[in-house]
Amino acid sequence: RLQGSFRLHNDCLNMIADLWHCQRPVSFDEYSCFAGARTVGSIEACLLAGLALKFRWCAWYRKVHNKCEAEVRGVYPNLVISTAFQACWEKFFRFMDVEPHFVSPSVNDFVLDAQAVAAACDECTIGVVAILGNHYGGQYDPVEAISDALVELNTRNGWQLKIHVDAASGGFVAPFQPGAKPWDFRVGWCGASAKTCRCMWRSTWRTWAAKQRASPSTSRGLPPDFTFSCTNFCGSSGRGTRASPRTC
């Protein structure tokens, strides 16, 4: 049986997954929860988000160019993000060997233009960060329009671009706003983080069991490096924990 705290953790994941229109994965009966994890704060959530994007990109780049892991480590990847980014992303760029590709928001509405985002992407782009409620005026980046632009790029070039939505400000506001445009799992992006409940999500909800067998260019699941078995001083849970550096 799951420990009480672990069961409460998974219950919270499931509630937020439902709030964000996350489709139930085929492995739900096995794990009894969606893919995600509680984090210490929004900084940890965003750092894990960036690492998930980087691991996925590394696997894709290694396969496409027939390179070994050491050779891929010599390639300097980038992440596309608004200049209205939160400071935690600066830590990600500095500590995780990723170059920022900044895109300035419009002076008229203070949100990103989807075509400008697409123009900043290239083969070494691990993903795009869209901000749902920036720290200056609370504006929402057009996640759905950015997703459409990235789908076009991926189709044309054979890339694997995904989106992380930094929803530290709007993740628990937008679901209750009448007329809010789709920004969650209803559009084809990777994951999101929200500060209020401090949870980070990944799209392994599509298929957990097949994630290691899927092609890096088409897989929407977590990289295998983000999966750990949960064994601690209280004993084994018999379940897998996902997207968290903790042992439980």
Side-chain angles (χ1 to χ4, degrees):
R1 295 179 60 186
L2 289 178
Q3 301 164 18
S5 60
F6 198 7
R7 185 167 57 251
L8 178 61
H9 170 277
N10 289 350
D11 287 345
C12 289
L13 289 178
N14 293 340
M15 286 187 289
I16 300 174
D18 288 338
L19 180 67
W20 290 351
H21 301 92
C22 186
Q23 297 182 15
R24 179 167 292 194
V26 295
S27 61
F28 188 87
D29 291 338
E30 178 183 358
Y31 292 99
S32 299
C33 69
F34 293 82
R38 176 185 61 85
T39 61
V40 173
S42 57
I43 290 178
E44 183 187 11
C46 290
L47 293 179
L48 287 175
L51 284 174
L53 290 171
K54 184 178 179 180
F55 276 117
R56 182 185 290 107
W57 173 84
C58 286
W60 170 82
Y61 193 89
R62 184 166 61 245
K63 181 176 182 178
V64 168
H65 293 279
N66 194 28
K67 292 181 177 291
C68 67
E69 185 174 345
E71 290 175 317
V72 175
R73 288 180 178 177
V75 180
Y76 196 25
N78 65 77
L79 178 70
V80 176
I81 192 170
S82 167
T83 53
F85 67 93
Q86 204 266 354
C88 65
W89 290 105
E90 187 173 1
K91 299 177 182 179
F92 174 75
F93 298 133
R94 183 175 302 179
F95 301 143
M96 307 302 178
D97 292 326
V98 174
E99 177 186 15
H101 278 193
F102 292 123
V103 178
S104 298
S106 168
V107 296
N108 297 319
D109 54 18
F110 218 62
V111 299
L112 291 180
D113 175 74
Q115 295 308 313
V117 169
C121 297
D122 57 37
E123 187 184 42
C124 293
T125 300
I126 64 174
V128 172
V129 173
I131 301 174
L132 197 74
N134 63 58
H135 288 200
Y136 299 95
Q139 291 87 351
Y140 297 171
D141 284 333
V143 179
E144 188 173 28
I146 293 173
S147 177
D148 291 341
L150 296 189
V151 168
E152 182 180 349
L153 276 181
N154 288 339
T155 302
R156 186 193 323 142
N157 300 307
W159 294 347
Q160 55 81 63
L161 297 171
K162 304 294 183 184
I163 300 174
H164 175 77
V165 178
D166 185 348
S169 298
F172 293 102
V173 177
F176 306 101
Q177 285 183 300
K181 294 182 179 180
W183 65 273
D184 51 18
F185 284 98
R186 290 171 290 179
V187 299
W189 45 271
C190 170
S193 59
K195 186 174 183 180
T196 303
C197 289
R198 297 180 180 180
C199 289
M200 185 195 69
W201 294 84
R202 293 292 169 270
S203 57
T204 313
W205 46 269
R206 180 62 67 175
T207 169
W208 171 255
K211 70 178 182 62
Q212 294 188 17
R213 300 192 297 270
S215 167
S217 63
T218 59
S219 174
R220 298 177 65 183
L222 276 170
D225 310 81
F226 272 62
T227 306
F228 302 88
S229 62
C230 184
T231 302
N232 54 48
F233 64 91
C234 296
S236 174
S237 69
R239 311 262 180 168
T241 59
R242 292 166 262 178
S244 175
R246 300 178 176 81
T247 55
C248 183

